[in-house]
Amino acid sequence: MYYLPKGKDLKNAGVIYDRANSSFASLKVGSIDWDQAFSGVQWFHFSAICPAISADIADLCLEAVNVAQEKGIFVSLDLNYRSKLWKYGKDPKDIMPKIAKHCNLIMGNIWAAHQMLGTQLDSKFITQSAGYEEEELLRQAEQTSKEIIANNPLCQYVANTFRFDYESKGIKYYTTLFNQGNLIESSEFRSAEILDKVGSGDCFMAGLIYGLYSNLSPTETLEFATLAAFDKLFIPSDATTSTVEDIKNRMIA
Protein backbone atom coordinates (compact mmCIF):
# COMPACT_ATOMS: atom_id res chain seq x y z
CA MET A 1 0.00 0.00 0.00
CA TYR A 2 1.07 3.57 -0.60
CA TYR A 3 -0.53 6.99 -0.47
CA LEU A 4 -0.29 9.64 -3.15
CA PRO A 5 -1.10 13.05 -1.65
CA LYS A 6 -1.93 15.82 -4.08
CA GLY A 7 -0.04 19.04 -3.51
CA LYS A 8 0.00 22.34 -5.34
CA ASP A 9 3.16 21.42 -7.27
CA LEU A 10 2.14 18.54 -9.53
CA LYS A 11 5.73 17.87 -10.60
CA ASN A 12 6.81 17.17 -7.04
CA ALA A 13 3.95 15.21 -5.52
CA GLY A 14 5.11 13.05 -2.65
CA VAL A 15 4.54 9.33 -2.11
CA ILE A 16 4.02 7.83 1.34
CA TYR A 17 4.88 4.13 1.48
CA ASP A 18 3.17 1.75 3.91
CA ARG A 19 4.75 -1.62 3.24
CA ALA A 20 6.25 -2.65 6.59
CA ASN A 21 4.69 -5.83 8.02
CA SER A 22 2.66 -6.41 4.86
CA SER A 23 2.13 -9.93 3.53
CA PHE A 24 4.61 -9.18 0.73
CA ALA A 25 7.25 -7.85 3.13
CA SER A 26 7.03 -11.04 5.20
CA LEU A 27 7.89 -13.36 2.29
CA LYS A 28 11.13 -15.33 2.43
CA VAL A 29 13.16 -17.52 0.10
CA GLY A 30 11.16 -20.70 -0.39
CA SER A 31 7.80 -19.01 0.23
CA ILE A 32 6.78 -19.12 -3.43
CA ASP A 33 6.28 -22.18 -5.61
CA TRP A 34 8.07 -20.83 -8.67
CA ASP A 35 7.10 -23.81 -10.83
CA GLN A 36 3.49 -22.82 -10.32
CA ALA A 37 4.05 -19.06 -10.38
CA PHE A 38 6.05 -19.22 -13.62
CA SER A 39 3.86 -21.80 -15.35
CA GLY A 40 3.25 -20.55 -18.91
CA VAL A 41 5.20 -17.35 -18.24
CA GLN A 42 7.46 -15.86 -20.93
CA TRP A 43 8.37 -12.54 -19.29
CA PHE A 44 9.08 -11.63 -15.65
CA HIS A 45 9.27 -7.97 -14.70
CA PHE A 46 10.08 -6.51 -11.30
CA SER A 47 11.09 -3.19 -9.78
CA ALA A 48 14.01 -2.27 -7.56
CA ILE A 49 11.38 -1.05 -5.11
CA CYS A 50 10.98 -4.73 -4.14
CA PRO A 51 14.52 -5.52 -2.89
CA ALA A 52 14.48 -2.12 -1.14
CA ILE A 53 11.88 -3.38 1.33
CA SER A 54 13.99 -5.88 3.30
CA ALA A 55 16.93 -8.27 3.12
CA ASP A 56 14.49 -11.18 2.86
CA ILE A 57 12.75 -9.66 -0.15
CA ALA A 58 16.12 -8.90 -1.75
CA ASP A 59 17.01 -12.58 -1.39
CA LEU A 60 13.60 -13.53 -2.77
CA CYS A 61 14.16 -11.33 -5.83
CA LEU A 62 17.50 -13.02 -6.44
CA GLU A 63 15.79 -16.41 -6.14
CA ALA A 64 13.08 -15.30 -8.60
CA VAL A 65 15.46 -14.11 -11.33
CA ASN A 66 17.62 -17.21 -10.91
CA VAL A 67 14.65 -19.50 -11.45
CA ALA A 68 13.32 -17.37 -14.28
CA GLN A 69 16.58 -17.67 -16.20
CA GLU A 70 16.68 -21.41 -15.57
CA LYS A 71 13.24 -21.61 -17.17
CA GLY A 72 14.23 -19.44 -20.14
CA ILE A 73 12.00 -16.55 -19.08
CA PHE A 74 12.94 -13.04 -20.23
CA VAL A 75 13.62 -10.82 -17.18
CA SER A 76 13.31 -7.04 -17.02
CA LEU A 77 14.28 -4.71 -14.17
CA ASP A 78 13.26 -1.13 -13.44
CA LEU A 79 15.94 0.64 -11.40
CA ASN A 80 13.56 2.72 -9.27
CA TYR A 81 15.53 4.24 -6.41
CA ARG A 82 13.41 5.12 -3.37
CA SER A 83 15.44 6.40 -0.42
CA LYS A 84 12.39 6.03 1.85
CA LEU A 85 12.50 2.25 1.41
CA TRP A 86 16.20 1.36 1.76
CA LYS A 87 16.16 1.24 5.56
CA TYR A 88 17.59 -2.16 6.49
CA GLY A 89 21.27 -1.28 6.58
CA LYS A 90 22.22 -2.14 3.01
CA ASP A 91 23.19 0.19 0.19
CA PRO A 92 21.58 -0.60 -3.17
CA LYS A 93 25.05 -1.24 -4.57
CA ASP A 94 25.37 -4.09 -2.06
CA ILE A 95 22.23 -5.76 -3.42
CA MET A 96 21.33 -4.80 -6.97
CA PRO A 97 24.42 -5.84 -9.00
CA LYS A 98 24.03 -9.54 -8.20
CA ILE A 99 20.32 -9.38 -9.08
CA ALA A 100 21.00 -7.45 -12.30
CA LYS A 101 23.28 -10.26 -13.52
CA HIS A 102 20.13 -12.29 -14.21
CA CYS A 103 18.28 -9.58 -16.15
CA ASN A 104 17.85 -9.23 -19.92
CA LEU A 105 16.49 -5.67 -19.94
CA ILE A 106 17.52 -2.98 -17.45
CA MET A 107 15.73 0.35 -17.45
CA GLY A 108 16.46 3.47 -15.41
CA ASN A 109 18.71 6.44 -16.02
CA ILE A 110 22.38 7.34 -15.66
CA TRP A 111 21.86 8.46 -12.06
CA ALA A 112 19.93 5.38 -10.93
CA ALA A 113 22.51 3.08 -12.54
CA HIS A 114 25.31 4.92 -10.77
CA GLN A 115 23.54 4.77 -7.42
CA MET A 116 22.28 1.19 -7.64
CA LEU A 117 24.73 -0.66 -9.89
CA GLY A 118 27.86 1.40 -9.26
CA THR A 119 28.37 2.41 -12.89
CA GLN A 120 30.75 5.26 -13.62
CA LEU A 121 29.31 8.76 -13.87
CA ASP A 122 31.14 11.86 -15.03
CA SER A 123 31.53 14.14 -12.02
CA LYS A 124 29.79 17.00 -13.82
CA PHE A 125 26.56 14.94 -13.85
CA ILE A 126 26.50 14.07 -10.15
CA THR A 127 23.60 16.48 -9.58
CA GLN A 128 20.51 15.67 -11.63
CA SER A 129 19.70 18.90 -13.44
CA ALA A 130 18.12 20.28 -16.59
CA GLY A 131 21.18 22.43 -17.33
CA TYR A 132 23.24 19.80 -19.17
CA GLU A 133 23.68 19.63 -22.91
CA GLU A 134 21.62 16.83 -24.43
CA GLU A 135 24.58 15.64 -26.49
CA GLU A 136 26.65 15.20 -23.32
CA LEU A 137 23.87 13.27 -21.60
CA LEU A 138 23.48 10.97 -24.58
CA ARG A 139 27.22 10.22 -24.53
CA GLN A 140 26.95 9.37 -20.83
CA ALA A 141 23.89 7.20 -21.52
CA GLU A 142 25.88 5.25 -24.10
CA GLN A 143 28.82 4.79 -21.72
CA THR A 144 26.52 3.71 -18.88
CA SER A 145 24.70 1.27 -21.17
CA LYS A 146 27.94 -0.28 -22.41
CA GLU A 147 29.17 -0.69 -18.83
CA ILE A 148 25.93 -2.35 -17.73
CA ILE A 149 26.05 -4.83 -20.59
CA ALA A 150 29.75 -5.53 -20.01
CA ASN A 151 29.03 -6.29 -16.34
CA ASN A 152 25.86 -8.28 -17.01
CA PRO A 153 26.33 -10.70 -19.92
CA LEU A 154 22.65 -11.70 -20.05
CA CYS A 155 21.55 -8.10 -20.55
CA GLN A 156 20.45 -7.37 -24.13
CA TYR A 157 18.81 -3.95 -23.69
CA VAL A 158 19.51 -0.90 -21.53
CA ALA A 159 16.98 1.95 -21.46
CA ASN A 160 17.51 5.43 -20.05
CA THR A 161 14.94 8.14 -19.44
CA PHE A 162 15.58 11.87 -19.19
CA ARG A 163 12.83 13.97 -17.65
CA PHE A 164 13.60 17.55 -16.73
CA ASP A 165 11.65 20.57 -15.57
CA TYR A 166 10.71 22.84 -18.45
CA GLU A 167 9.58 26.39 -17.78
CA SER A 168 7.64 26.76 -14.51
CA LYS A 169 5.14 23.91 -14.70
CA GLY A 170 6.32 21.86 -17.64
CA ILE A 171 8.46 18.88 -18.62
CA LYS A 172 11.08 18.05 -21.24
CA TYR A 173 11.25 14.31 -21.90
CA TYR A 174 13.34 12.00 -24.06
CA THR A 175 14.80 8.49 -23.77
CA THR A 176 17.37 6.08 -25.17
CA LEU A 177 17.58 2.34 -25.81
CA PHE A 178 20.92 0.56 -26.20
CA ASN A 179 20.87 -2.69 -28.17
CA GLN A 180 23.56 -4.64 -30.05
CA GLY A 181 26.12 -1.90 -29.61
CA ASN A 182 23.87 0.92 -30.82
CA LEU A 183 22.29 3.76 -28.87
CA ILE A 184 18.84 4.65 -30.21
CA GLU A 185 17.47 8.08 -29.30
CA SER A 186 13.79 8.85 -29.03
CA SER A 187 12.01 11.97 -30.20
CA GLU A 188 12.02 14.78 -27.65
CA PHE A 189 8.71 15.87 -26.14
CA ARG A 190 8.02 19.14 -24.34
CA SER A 191 5.03 20.64 -22.62
CA ALA A 192 4.71 23.92 -20.78
CA GLU A 193 2.35 22.28 -18.29
CA ILE A 194 1.57 18.75 -17.10
CA LEU A 195 -1.16 17.18 -14.98
CA ASP A 196 0.58 14.40 -13.03
CA LYS A 197 4.11 13.02 -13.28
CA VAL A 198 3.50 9.91 -11.16
CA GLY A 199 3.49 6.69 -13.17
CA SER A 200 5.19 7.97 -16.32
CA GLY A 201 8.25 5.78 -15.69
CA ASP A 202 6.01 2.75 -15.27
CA CYS A 203 4.29 3.63 -18.56
CA PHE A 204 7.66 3.80 -20.27
CA MET A 205 8.60 0.38 -18.92
CA ALA A 206 5.22 -1.03 -19.93
CA GLY A 207 5.74 0.41 -23.42
CA LEU A 208 9.12 -1.28 -23.70
CA ILE A 209 7.61 -4.60 -22.62
CA TYR A 210 4.73 -4.23 -25.07
CA GLY A 211 6.99 -3.29 -27.97
CA LEU A 212 9.59 -6.01 -27.49
CA TYR A 213 6.98 -8.66 -26.61
CA SER A 214 5.09 -7.72 -29.78
CA ASN A 215 8.27 -7.98 -31.90
CA LEU A 216 8.35 -4.30 -32.82
CA SER A 217 11.77 -3.06 -33.88
CA PRO A 218 13.90 -1.46 -31.15
CA THR A 219 13.30 1.97 -32.72
CA GLU A 220 9.51 1.46 -32.87
CA THR A 221 9.55 0.08 -29.35
CA LEU A 222 11.39 3.10 -28.00
CA GLU A 223 9.08 5.58 -29.74
CA PHE A 224 5.99 3.76 -28.47
CA ALA A 225 7.32 3.60 -24.91
CA THR A 226 8.42 7.24 -24.88
CA LEU A 227 5.10 8.51 -26.17
CA ALA A 228 3.23 6.31 -23.68
CA ALA A 229 5.28 7.81 -20.85
CA PHE A 230 4.81 11.39 -22.07
CA ASP A 231 1.10 10.78 -22.57
CA LYS A 232 0.79 9.70 -18.91
CA LEU A 233 1.93 13.16 -17.77
CA PHE A 234 -1.51 14.45 -18.78
CA ILE A 235 -3.52 11.74 -16.98
CA PRO A 236 -4.24 12.10 -13.24
CA SER A 237 -3.15 9.56 -10.61
CA ASP A 238 -0.66 6.75 -11.13
CA ALA A 239 -2.12 4.64 -13.96
CA THR A 240 -2.72 5.43 -17.60
CA THR A 241 -6.16 5.29 -19.20
CA SER A 242 -4.74 5.27 -22.74
CA THR A 243 -4.92 2.13 -24.86
CA VAL A 244 -2.30 0.70 -27.20
CA GLU A 245 -4.33 2.04 -30.12
CA ASP A 246 -4.40 5.52 -28.55
CA ILE A 247 -0.61 5.58 -28.41
CA LYS A 248 -0.18 4.16 -31.91
CA ASN A 249 -2.55 6.79 -33.32
CA ARG A 250 -0.53 9.53 -31.65
CA MET A 251 2.65 8.06 -33.13
CA ILE A 252 1.11 8.33 -36.61
CA ALA A 253 -0.13 11.87 -35.95
Side-chain angles (χ1 to χ4, degrees), residues 154-227:
L154 294 181
C155 187
Q156 302 171 43
Y157 303 93
V158 177
N160 282 280
T161 62
F162 296 95
R163 186 181 69 189
F164 299 115
D165 290 350
Y166 175 65
E167 297 184 353
S168 60
K169 297 180 180 179
I171 289 288
K172 177 172 72 172
Y173 189 83
Y174 57 95
T175 67
T176 65
L177 183 65
F178 191 83
N179 171 238
Q180 295 184 340
N182 297 311
L183 185 76
I184 305 167
E185 305 163 26
S186 77
S187 302
E188 182 182 292
F189 296 92
R190 297 189 184 201
S191 175
E193 191 165 350
I194 64 168
L195 184 59
D196 202 329
K197 73 170 187 175
V198 177
S200 65
D202 292 330
C203 273
F204 178 71
M205 187 74 241
L208 290 179
I209 293 173
Y210 169 79
L212 295 174
Y213 193 80
S214 302
N215 295 315
L216 300 183
S217 71
T219 299
E220 291 173 317
T221 295
L222 184 64
E223 286 299 315
F224 180 89
T226 305
L227 188 51

Side-chain angles (χ1 to χ4, degrees), residues 54-69:
S54 70
D56 284 336
I57 298 300
D59 290 341
L60 185 70
C61 288
L62 183 58
E63 180 190 37
V65 295
N66 262 308
V67 176
Q69 289 297 347

